[in-house]
């Protein structure tokens, strides 16, 4: 059958010369989908990357693409200790970003973000596998959901052919989205702020200067900005000049912080000793560990130390309940001429009358316990308590989850040493509390001159965990302009000066020894100490600005035209879209 008047255009309504079609404005919607955030055309008709950027070859297939995304999400784990490829952090996210920008739809972009997030969580926390077993896969799947909205954001800003304005916006907004993910997963119930991307720069002096200005958050923003810029330089030739200028601004900002940010001023030195008994296992390990700690502490006599620090859980339940233990510790204090900061993991009663198992930093002087005690406030999920135990208590049967929940302390404590140690004020932290920037900052604002962390990590010997944990002390020191001591049972024990620089020689995981660190004290306040987490608020502002611009653009977009009457053939039947 021949249609009178010639062939109908495919996909258009013959009665609608504008071509809006009977679908309610298909061409309007198509133009809208291809529009960039700055109002320009994407150049390929798709905000999610367009049909010409859906990937090539095997990466267009679901399973190979998922495998590539898992690998791309895992790459940043190589930037942390023990591999310690800190320089790789500035390009580790580029493959992930390039994969997301080729997503064929918003749904695919969100899925790409989620799958990459799973790879990131498993790689950064892989050392938990002996403790959590298969549960780590479920944990990664849940935490990976945090990256799904980020996948949408990356696709929206990097997809297609970004204009110069859209590219510059991406360098600001994409890192802001990542920073909010780090903020959310920093909640203790989600595992705490372990594996923040900025923490990979713990031994880079310029990065530590940046941390003194805006904490680890600002370092993460800068690392993400470089990754986003690198991805745009590869995928958006038309925007390379604008991206180059944006990256130059980042470099100049780091230079300005290096040159002009306040530096801590010298305030003398303090001599602090760390006692690391090493691996002690088997029957009677609690008593044997105490005996080894006592022997190592005796070797410090006559060395003029101001404080001796033992690691986390250095005194277990049986030893602490024995009155003889307090007498032995007091005798050690008199012999060495310094107070001992020990750590007790035992059933106790706190000041408010609560009874249960606490992990406590306890100060012991020549006369026994001084009364200064700090109970750990932020506990390790599953390791020290099981969240929603009535629902998730089964985790104790498949891993090393806590059989009984520890109790939390209710406040941070600054301890003052006696006049013999010049009234030194120390701020104790226990285990992964060193991962929380706000806790160290609060102790320094309360007057702490030295941050003292007590840890164990004995469960994770032979993994990357001890090195990663010890590295956090450098960031906390640089953020607050105060020296930090990281004392463990089995290594790695280390010390850092007020600029985050390493002091002395760390004790590795193979050492059973006591080490003395001469720590430089410091005065003054860093910008991070004064203003706190301002980069996080800046990230919120950047994302809010993007939402406002997108909302205004949606309001200004003309409504789709109403559908026209259906086309008809010469015999009056509805027209077909073509032959």
């Amino acid at each position: 059958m021949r249609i009178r008047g010639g062939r109908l255009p495919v996909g258009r309504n013959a009665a609608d010369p504008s071509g809006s079609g009977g679908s309610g404005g298909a061409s309007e919607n198509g133009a809208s989908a291809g529009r960039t955030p700055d109002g320009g055309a994407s150049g390929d008709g798709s905000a999610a990357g367009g049909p010409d950027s859906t990937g090539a070859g095997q990466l267009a297939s679901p399973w190979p693409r998922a495998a590539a995304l898992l690998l791309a999400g895992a790459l940043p784990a190589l930037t942390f200790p023990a591999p310690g490829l800190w320089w790789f952090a500035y390009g580790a996210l580029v493959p992930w970003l390039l994969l997301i920008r080729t997503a064929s739809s918003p749904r695919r972009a969100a899925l790409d973000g989620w799958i990459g997030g799973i790879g990131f969580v498993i790689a950064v926390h892989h050392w938990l596998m002996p403790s959590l077993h298969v549960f780590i896969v479920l944990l990664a799947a849940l935490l990976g959901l945090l990256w799904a909205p980020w996948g949408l954001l990356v696709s929206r800003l990097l997809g297609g052919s970004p204009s110069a304005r859209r590219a510059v916006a991406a360098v600001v907004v994409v890192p802001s989205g990542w920073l909010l993910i780090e903020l959310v997963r920093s909640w203790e119930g989600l595992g705490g702020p372990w594996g923040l991307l900025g923490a990979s720069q713990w031994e880079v002096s310029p990065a530590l200067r940046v941390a003194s200005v805006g904490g680890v958050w600002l370092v993460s923003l800068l690392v993400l900005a470089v990754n986003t810029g690198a991805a745009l330089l590869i995928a958006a030739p038309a925007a390379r000049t604008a991206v180059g200028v944006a990256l130059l601004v980042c470099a100049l900002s780091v230079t300005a912080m290096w040159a002009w940010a306040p530096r801590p001023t010298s305030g003398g030195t303090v001599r602090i000793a760390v006692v690391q008994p090493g691996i002690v296992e088997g029957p009677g390990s609690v008593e044997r560990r105490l005996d080894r700690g006592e022997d190592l502490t005796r070797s410090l006599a006559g060395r003029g130390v101001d404080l001796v620090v033992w690691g986390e859980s250095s005194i277990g339940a049986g030893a602490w309940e024995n009155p003889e233990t307090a007498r032995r510790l007091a005798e050690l204090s008199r012999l060495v001429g310094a107070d001992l900061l020990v750590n007790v993991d035992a059933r106790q009663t706190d000041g408010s009358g609560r009874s249960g198992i606490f992990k406590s930093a306890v100060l012991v002087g020549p006369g026994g316990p001084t009364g200064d005690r700090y109970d750990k406030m932020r506990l390790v999920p599953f390791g020290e308590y099981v969240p929603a135990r009535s629902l998730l208590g089964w985790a104790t049967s498949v891993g090393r989850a806590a059989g009984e929940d520890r109790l939390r302390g209710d406040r941070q404590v600054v301890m003052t040493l006696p006049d013999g140690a010049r009234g030194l004020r120390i701020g104790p932290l226990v285990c992964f509390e060193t991962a929380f920037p706000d806790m160290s900052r609060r102790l320094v604002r309360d007057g702490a001159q030295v941050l003292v962390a007590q840890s164990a990590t004995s469960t994770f010997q032979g993994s990357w965990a001890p090195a990663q944990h010890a590295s956090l002390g450098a960031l906390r020191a640089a953020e607050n302009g105060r020296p930090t001591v990281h004392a463990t049972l089995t290594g790695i024990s280390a010390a850092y000066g007020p600029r985050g620089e390493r002091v002395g020689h760390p004790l590795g995981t193979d050492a059973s020894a006591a080490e003395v660190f001469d720590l430089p004290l410091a005065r003054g306040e860093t910008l991070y100490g004064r203003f706190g987490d301002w980069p996080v608020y800046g990230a919120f502002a950047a994302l809010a600005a993007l939402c406002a611009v997108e909302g205004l653009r949606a309001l200004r977009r003309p409504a789709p035209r109403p559908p026209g009457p259906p086309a008809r053939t010469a015999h009056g039947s509805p027209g077909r879209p073509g032959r």
Side-chain angles (χ1 to χ4, degrees), residues 22 36 40 62 136 144 163 171 229 273 276 313 315 340 383 424 432 434 436 446 465 469 555:
T36 65
I136 194 174
S163 65
V171 173
Q276 179 177 299
S313 302
I315 300 180
L340 278 60
L424 184 72
F432 91 141
T434 58
F436 295 87
D446 287 345
H469 198 180
L555 291 174

Side-chain angles (χ1 to χ4, degrees), residues 88 186 427:
F88 185 50
S186 293

Side-chain angles (χ1 to χ4, degrees), residues 87-474:
W87 48 268
F88 185 50
Y90 296 95
L93 289 169
V94 171
W96 191 3
L97 292 168
L98 293 178
L99 280 168
I100 293 176
R101 75 172 295 276
T102 65
S104 57
S105 67
R107 179 181 177 183
R108 178 73 247 186
L111 185 62
D112 288 352
W114 178 49
I115 295 174
I118 292 174
F120 179 85
V121 173
I122 290 178
V124 172
H125 298 85
H126 73 276
W127 42 270
L128 286 172
M129 288 182 183
S131 298
L132 298 183
H133 296 287
V134 70
F135 194 77
I136 194 174
V137 178
L138 175 60
L139 178 67
L142 292 174
L143 289 179
L145 291 171
L146 294 173
W147 279 270
W150 186 72
L152 289 170
L153 185 66
V154 171
S155 176
R156 183 74 178 103
L157 292 173
L158 271 67
S161 301
S163 65
R165 281 190 294 174
R166 179 150 65 108
V168 172
V171 173
V172 175
V173 178
V174 169
S176 297
W178 180 282
L179 192 66
L180 293 194
I181 296 172
E182 293 196 335
L183 179 68
V184 172
R185 69 186 185 89
S186 293
W187 178 48
E188 173 199 339
L190 293 180
W194 193 279
L196 304 184
L197 201 58
S200 65
Q201 307 302 294
W202 68 278
E203 55 184 347
V204 182
S205 294
L208 292 173
R209 291 285 291 146
V210 172
S212 75
V213 174
V216 67
W217 313 112
L218 185 57
V219 183
S220 287
L221 278 177
L222 287 170
V223 171
L224 260 295
V226 173
N227 276 273
T228 306
L232 287 165
L233 290 175
I234 295 171
R240 283 175 179 167
T241 300
V243 172
V245 171
L247 294 178
L248 179 61
V249 169
C250 290
L252 292 175
S253 299
V254 173
T255 303
M257 284 183 269
W258 175 268
W260 293 310
R263 298 175 184 265
T265 57
S266 176
T269 60
V270 63
R271 174 164 279 203
I272 295 180
V274 168
V275 170
Q276 179 177 299
I279 298 175
V280 180
E281 298 177 323
S285 59
V286 172
E287 273 299 331
R288 288 189 290 115
R289 182 183 300 116
L290 176 59
D291 292 342
R292 180 58 180 160
E294 184 176 4
D295 290 342
L296 292 172
T297 303
R298 289 183 181 278
S299 70
L300 298 170
R303 300 187 63 179
V305 297
D306 297 303
L307 176 69
V308 179
V309 183
W310 290 18
E312 178 188 14
S313 302
S314 48
I315 300 180
W320 189 245
E321 292 167 358
N322 185 350
E324 179 66 14
T325 300
R327 187 197 64 77
R328 292 167 62 184
L329 294 175
E331 180 185 341
L332 284 175
S333 175
R334 291 192 296 269
L335 175 67
V336 175
D339 282 10
L340 278 60
L341 185 69
V342 299
N343 192 275
V344 178
D345 185 1
R347 195 171 302 278
Q348 304 175 69
T349 301
D350 70 356
S352 61
R354 294 182 301 158
S355 294
I357 300 177
F358 289 90
K359 280 196 174 181
S360 307
V362 178
L363 194 63
V364 180
T370 64
D372 287 318
R373 167 180 157 184
Y374 166 65
D375 298 325
K376 185 177 182 182
M377 296 174 62
R378 296 184 182 173
L379 305 177
V380 180
F382 298 99
E384 294 170 334
Y385 77 103
V386 176
R389 183 176 286 272
S390 59
L391 180 65
L392 300 177
W394 58 268
T396 60
S397 63
V398 298
R400 300 175 183 172
E404 180 180 349
D405 292 348
R406 267 63 173 173
L407 298 185
R408 305 171 186 272
D410 55 10
R411 63 187 179 90
Q412 290 189 261
V413 175
V414 174
M415 302 178 180
T416 303
L417 300 184
D419 292 339
R422 292 165 292 170
L424 184 72
R425 296 184 298 277
I426 62 172
L429 298 163
V430 181
C431 192
F432 91 141
E433 289 181 333
T434 58
F436 295 87
D438 65 300
M439 296 194 74
S440 299
R441 179 171 177 262
R442 169 52 57 190
L443 287 171
V444 172
R445 292 183 69 84
D446 287 345
Q449 296 171 280
V450 179
L451 299 171
V452 180
Q454 297 173 300
S455 182
T457 64
S458 52
T459 305
F460 308 109
Q461 293 296 292
S463 74
W464 296 353
Q468 287 186 31
H469 198 180
S471 70
L472 297 176

Side-chain angles (χ1 to χ4, degrees), residues 18 467 504:
S18 69

